[in-house]
Each structure stands twice: as structure tokens, then as C-alpha cells.
Amino acid sequence: MSVSEPRIGADAPRIDAVEKVTGLQRYAADRRPDGLLHAVTVLATIARGRILAIDTAAAAAVPGVVLVLTHDTMPALGSVQFIMAGGHAAQSILPMTSAEVHHHGQTIALVVAHRLETARGAARLVSVRYEAEPPVTTLDDPRAETLLQEQAIPLPMMRDRRNGDAEAALAGSTTVIDVAYATPAQHQNPIELLATVAVWQGDRLTIHEPSQNSGAVRAGLARVFGIDPAAIRVISPSVGGGFGQKNALGAHTVLAAVAARATGRPVKLVMPRAQVARIAAFRPAARHRIRLGAGADGRMTAAIHEITQQTSRHDLMPGLGTEVSLRLHAIPAVQGIERLTRLDTQTPGFMRAPYEFGAAFAFESAVDELAWELGADPVAFRLAHDTDRDPVSGKPFSSRHLAACLERGARAFGWHDRDPRPGRMRDAHGRMTGMGVAVGAYKAARAPAITRLTLRADGSAEIAVGGHEMGQGLRTVVALTLSDRLGIDPAAIRVIAGDTASVPQHLTAGSWGTATVVPSVAAAAEKMRSLIAERAGQGGLAAGLSRLLAGNGGRPLEVTVESLAPGQGQPALDRLRQGLPAAAGPDYPEAVAMSFIAHFVEVAVDPRTRILRVVRAHSVIDCGRVISARTARSQALGGMIWGIGGALFEASEVDPRDGSFLNADLAEYVVASHADIGRLSAEFIDLPDPMPGGPGLNGGGLNGVGPNGLGMKGLGEVASVGMPAAIANAVFHATGRRIRDLPIRVDALI
């Protein structure tokens, strides 16, 4: 152990970089235990109805096939609940527990064989006869049932948002815009597919799986099999991309575990990408109506944002888009209304900035339209509506540096050098060019955490955290924090993440991973320092540790801390241990905490082909204190690219006949490529958020500026919020044409 300079905020390399780029990092599907069998699923080809007959004889007769499961041969299983309805699962429907078909792509059979090729071939031999019912598959279907969310899900956080009388304020406004926007269904396409390797050893089950929520996977499987969660271990040390797709127990995991128990051998199930699109969660399609009013002085007086988004017939996936849109600007009277439309699809879910992505596109496009209607500069208009108080609750923001984001971004981008008149700018190639601006926000959430820190006589450390490494750099920020507090070389730190055998694992999502884990790590380091000082006396940290370890017979020193988010108590830790979400924010007892961003974009449109390109983009981010400069920059640029792809290319095309997704692979689901990305740059305000964290239990620390405080806010998701609006606003400046539906394709510009 050697004391070194603090490392927080440094541009340090990822601690797992070498393993990732050399292929040493092992992922779930890389596991090959002895006796491994391979499983392949058969999916339903109707959207709604029931199975009349399923013939598996030909599949079972293929040499090498070990097992064929259907609803007729599936063992009895316990039920699961949707994660947003108090459960652990991606949706409440477990496949093959009845003859009912709830959506196209539902798993209706599982074939297990010695070889993957054998299982694939046999799966194609399964034949099915259905009794189909007419499905409802699109938001525009007149048969669709639409519910008011606050009535359908009577929970406080699901209520419509109101502050003041927005309808009356709108009626009294001198300028009003009333505009509709549409955002499509979209699918996450992480490089690592949904995959499970299930191994039973007697009555104990081990699951290797890429998961953002190994605690929920364990708890959900315990309910399914009726066993003690302590008999299940879920191991997910690294995830090759999640983006919300892997945040709960999936049906594929249950099937692999059932097959492994039935055969008495390990079973691997890897879902092909086309099947992933038909069984996994996705961003739901949504329709937005924005009404904005302004007075004679040019200031906004009212905002009403109505969102109707799809959900499944069997689950209610809530929408919280107005939680963000109504907090972007100082508007005296606001109202947010959320509706859910039941469709015959799998349950939608979370996809990076799940509601905020579309909500900010619609709202920031409308704000831009109002600014132009009033003859105001779009940047100046947004600056004029800055606020230090939350327009929804009236509470102060814990910190808000959005004005600084706008001002710094405008200077860096050369905003004021542009010709403000739409359709007047050209580049050297004769293309129409335009500049657009938009802002975004995302909740600064936190969750309870339990952290265990161990120091060894050789100066190395092991720290177990309740989070998941999905490529965002969680291990790196943990190592930097521990290095900063204890002076340990990051290379000598082993970070255990995603393993239910270590400490309780909370869902890593909602951009709360770093803000949850790092304060707990800092608190563990401070508790260790106090232990050393108490037992070893003076002489410095390193000397005290050496004496203490020597006096302890060389045995490691270990401390455990429990920490909470502001306003939380013991029930949050209880939920954590049960594998249930327990995050808090953005509305805390004393303040509202949000991360903010300002995007500046330049586009070019060819006047003949109407091909659109993002020439350059610059974003300025207020995410509190930056812990790891390198991974933060990576998150920012990745989010910006995500926003470009979502604005210009990405849409999950639905076949209205059966609700299937027609472009369920990377050949036809178009994502941004290198050729589509111009010059990108990002910078950070990098000022700590001063809001204190929870009081902590057994050594828990603070999130704010204090003895254990670091003052960070979330980054991963805010980076993409508002980017599509900035692009659409730039398209208007270039062409004079407003685009109100995503994605922005060539036909919209002709």
C-alpha cells in the first residue's frame, strides 16, 4: 500500500481496458461447464390466441436431442410480477405455462440438444396449430383501449403533474402553439445478446447471465422454483451493453434453469438477435401533444404536455416523460398528462433515457417553435426561462447550471455567428446548413447500497459493491474513489460487481449507478481509515495499516457499510435485500436533483437528394462532479451518438397484422455508423452537487460536499436527452421545414 495523490477526476485508463480489448474478459455465453447442453427456442407466429396443437415428435426424434419442452410438458412454476408492478420480471407472462399466446414471438417450445446446430435444426421441425384472434398492434387502431395512467396505476409517482391552472393560463396567453409529435418504438441492440448458462448442483442453482439486476434475477427465480434465494447465485461480472434491456428477470433465464434441472446438466441458451427483438423489452411508441402559451412580454405562461404511449395487454408499463419536460424551463403553470394504450405485444420497458428521450424531443421542439413564433433567439429564449426552483414541485433544485451549459456551448459552437434566418446558410459544397439548440435533463437518482471493503497484508484491496459493470466504467470509478481515499494503486484493487454471492445487488439503471455506489465506497474507505486510526494509533495510514495487519496475524481487515439516498430509511435496505428497486429521486425531501445538458448541432442537407448529415455537435453537461474524466467523456459522446441514431435512423417497424417487428436484426434495424457521425465534442461544468445524501447506516456517507461527499449526479442517460430536438431544430434552420416525427428520414425533407 503506497499513499499517492488523489485520483478522483483524473483522466485515468479503465482498470479493465486490457481485458476488454484483448478478449480476456469473459461474458456469460463464454462459459462452458462440463456436460454443457444447448437450448433453442421456438416462437409464436401469431399475436393473440391459443395453441390448439403442438407436434414435437419430429424434433424429439433428431439424434442428439435431449429434451423438448412445451406447455404440455412444462413443470409447474410459481408466478412472477412485472418489475414496475412490484415484482422482479421483465413481464408478468411466463412462457409455456398455458396454451395462451399473448404476443408475436412468445416462446412456445424449447429444444435442448448436445450441439447447438442440432437444437437449431430440431426446433425448425416443431409444428403448431393456432386459434388466432384479431390483435391490436398500433396506437392508431380504433379498437385500442387507452387508460389514464393516474387512474390505471394509482400510485403517487404516477399522478399527472400539475402546478397552477395551466388551461386558464393558456387561455389568457397572447401567443399559443398546439403541436403534435410522434416517436416510434425502438430497440436496444447491445452487442452482447440475452444469454444464460444455468447449472444445478443438487438443490443449488448458479446462473451466468448478462444482467443489470442480478438481485432481481435471483429473487425472481426463487419465486419461480419455490426455493430459498440463498440457494441461487447469479454471476454477472461484466455486461456487453444493457441500455435497459437486461434490467429484470427474463423468460429465457427461467427456461434455461428449467431445462438444466430437467436434464441434470448445464444448459446454455443464447437468444439470436431476431428473437431478442421479439421477446425483450423495448422503448414504446408514443404520441405527444404540446400546448405552450406566452404573454405579451414574450415569456412562457403555460405548458401542457400530453403523452400517450403503448403498453402490453397484460402489463402496464408506465410513462414518466413529463417528469422531465415540465422541469426544463421556468413556466408558472404546467400540466403533464400520461396515458397508456394496451396493445398485443410483449411488455415494453426501458431503453436509455426511456421516456425522457421522446419527451424532450417533443417539448424542446415545441419550445423552439414558440421562440421562432415570438421572434426570439432560441438560446436567449431558453436563458430567459432559467430557474433555480423546480416548476413542478416548487422546491429548489439542489444545483442547476443549465444557463452555464447554454452560455459555454453557444460560445464554443459559434452560435452567434450564424445567419438567424432559416434556409439562408450554405456550405462549400452547396448544401443547406443550419444550427439548432436544445436542452435536456435527467433525474439525479440514488439507491441504497451495501459495500464490503477488504485490505490485505500485501497492500491489495478487494471491494464488493451492489452494482453492475455494463461498460460504463463502474469498476474504474470505484477504483479511483478507493485510490483517492486510501492511496491504493488502482491496479491493486479488485472490484466485485454483479455477483449475488458478495453483497446485495441493486438494479443498475436510471443513471444512479455511480451516484449510488461511489458514496458507499467512500464511506467504506472512511470507515477503514477510522478503524486503522483507532487500533493502530498515529504514524500515517500506510504505517498504521502495516502495524495493524502484523498485529492481526496478517489476516485481512474488513469493513461493511450500508448507505441510503436522501429521505430513505430501513425499508429501502429491506427492498434491496429482496431484489426490488429502491431508488429515490429526483424529488427528495428538501430539493429536486437533476442533471442538465445543452446540445448544439449543425446539420447539412443536400438540396437535390435531401440527404441529411449531422456535421458537428457540441454538448455541455452539468452532472455534478466528474469522478473519471475518461469514462465520463466516453459516456457523453456515446449518448450524443445514441441521440443522433435515434433522431435520424432508429425505428422498430411494426407489422400491423400481427405486431411483429419487421426489422428485427442489425441488417435492417438501422443504427448510426461512423460515416453518419460528424465532429463531436463535449465538456463538463464539473461543479459538485451540494445536496447531502442519506444519513447512512453503519458507516454510510454523504453524496454532497462533506467528509464523505463527492457531489456527483447521473451522466449516462442525460447525454442523449434533447439531442433529437437539437437536430430537428437545426433542420428547420437549414430548410425552413418543421419535422415533428422521428426518425427524420429523406422523405420528410422532400
Side-chain angles (χ1 to χ4, degrees), residues 7 35 259 337 359 434 462 598 703:
R7 303 294 300 280
I337 302 170
E462 178 179 280
N703 181 47

Side-chain angles (χ1 to χ4, degrees), residues 7 9-20 469 472-480 489-491 627-632:
R7 303 294 300 280
D11 186 21
R14 292 175 179 264
I15 65 170
D16 53 1
V18 172
E19 289 80 0
K20 285 180 176 292
E469 175 60 81
Q472 80 276 38
L474 184 74
R475 282 194 174 86
T476 300
V477 297
V478 167
L480 290 179
D489 184 345
I627 306 300
S628 166
R630 186 169 302 187
T631 56

Side-chain angles (χ1 to χ4, degrees), residues 180-540:
Y181 302 86
T183 52
Q186 295 176 324
H187 273 79
Q188 319 92 326
N189 277 281
I191 296 301
E192 186 179 19
L193 298 167
L194 297 180
T196 301
V197 175
V199 183
W200 287 89
Q201 294 173 305
D203 294 330
R204 303 188 68 83
L205 171 63
T206 298
I207 296 288
H208 297 275
E209 172 161 328
S211 177
Q212 299 173 233
N213 197 354
S214 55
V217 173
R218 180 174 77 160
L221 287 172
R223 291 182 62 87
V224 167
F225 291 107
I227 61 178
D228 188 338
I232 302 173
R233 182 183 182 187
V234 180
I235 305 172
S236 183
S238 290
V239 181
F243 312 116
Q245 187 182 81
K246 300 166 181 170
N247 72 352
L249 173 65
H252 64 287
T253 309
V254 175
L255 292 175
V258 168
R261 188 164 67 168
T263 60
R265 294 173 61 174
V267 170
K268 178 189 291 188
L269 174 57
V270 180
M271 303 299 293
R273 193 167 298 278
Q275 291 193 1
V276 168
R278 295 184 170 100
I279 68 161
F282 60 95
R283 192 197 310 279
R287 302 287 186 267
H288 303 258
R289 182 189 180 193
I290 311 283
R291 287 178 283 167
L292 298 178
D297 59 356
R299 293 190 61 82
M300 286 190 279
T301 55
I304 301 175
H305 188 176
E306 300 178 61
I307 305 176
T308 301
Q309 76 168 34
Q310 76 176 97
T311 189
S312 67
R313 191 178 292 275
H314 45 279
D315 293 315
L316 296 176
M317 171 61 191
L320 297 170
T322 62
E323 179 180 72
V324 162
S325 61
L326 298 180
R327 289 181 154 129
L328 294 176
H329 305 290
I331 305 174
V334 296
Q335 182 175 4
I337 302 170
E338 310 262 3
R339 299 183 181 90
L340 303 174
T341 299
R342 293 186 184 273
L343 301 181
D344 293 307
T345 64
Q346 76 261 37
T347 303
F350 300 92
M351 175 174 168
R352 194 176 190 175
Y355 341 93
E356 299 83 358
F357 190 83
F361 160 69
F363 200 84
E364 275 297 276
S365 295
V367 167
D368 212 69
E369 295 200 37
L370 181 60
W372 284 98
E373 182 75 17
L374 295 170
D377 175 86
V379 171
F381 189 69
R382 288 169 171 83
L383 286 170
H385 289 87
D386 192 33
T387 177
D388 60 1
R389 301 194 76 83
D390 170 35
V392 175
S393 68
K395 295 179 182 179
F397 284 113
S398 59
S399 63
R400 174 176 163 126
H401 303 291
L402 183 55
C405 293
L406 284 163
E407 291 164 349
R408 284 171 59 167
R411 286 195 301 271
F413 201 68
W415 174 264
H416 300 296
D417 296 332
R418 83 200 195 293
D419 185 333
R421 297 171 296 177
R424 297 301 183 96
M425 294 175 62
R426 297 289 187 276
D427 66 8
H429 305 287
R431 296 181 300 181
M432 299 180 288
T433 63
M435 295 185 186
V437 64
V439 301
Y442 195 85
K443 62 187 178 187
R446 282 190 62 194
I450 299 175
T451 298
R452 186 177 65 240
L453 170 62
T454 305
L455 296 186
R456 294 191 170 85
D458 61 2
S460 66
E462 178 179 280
I463 186 158
V465 298
H468 301 75
E469 175 60 81
M470 305 177 292
Q472 80 276 38
L474 184 74
R475 282 194 174 86
T476 300
V477 297
V478 167
L480 290 179
T481 304
L482 203 56
S483 175
D484 176 75
R485 295 305 168 101
L486 294 179
I488 304 173
D489 184 345
I493 299 171
R494 179 176 178 238
V495 181
I496 300 175
D499 190 340
T500 59
S502 58
V503 293
Q505 298 292 303
H506 191 274
L507 166 65
T508 301
S511 289
W512 61 61
T514 296
T516 294
V517 169
V518 167
S520 188
V521 170
E526 293 301 317
K527 188 174 182 180
M528 182 65 77
R529 290 178 71 99
S530 298
L531 176 66
I532 294 170
E534 176 188 339
R535 295 188 183 179
Q538 303 301 313

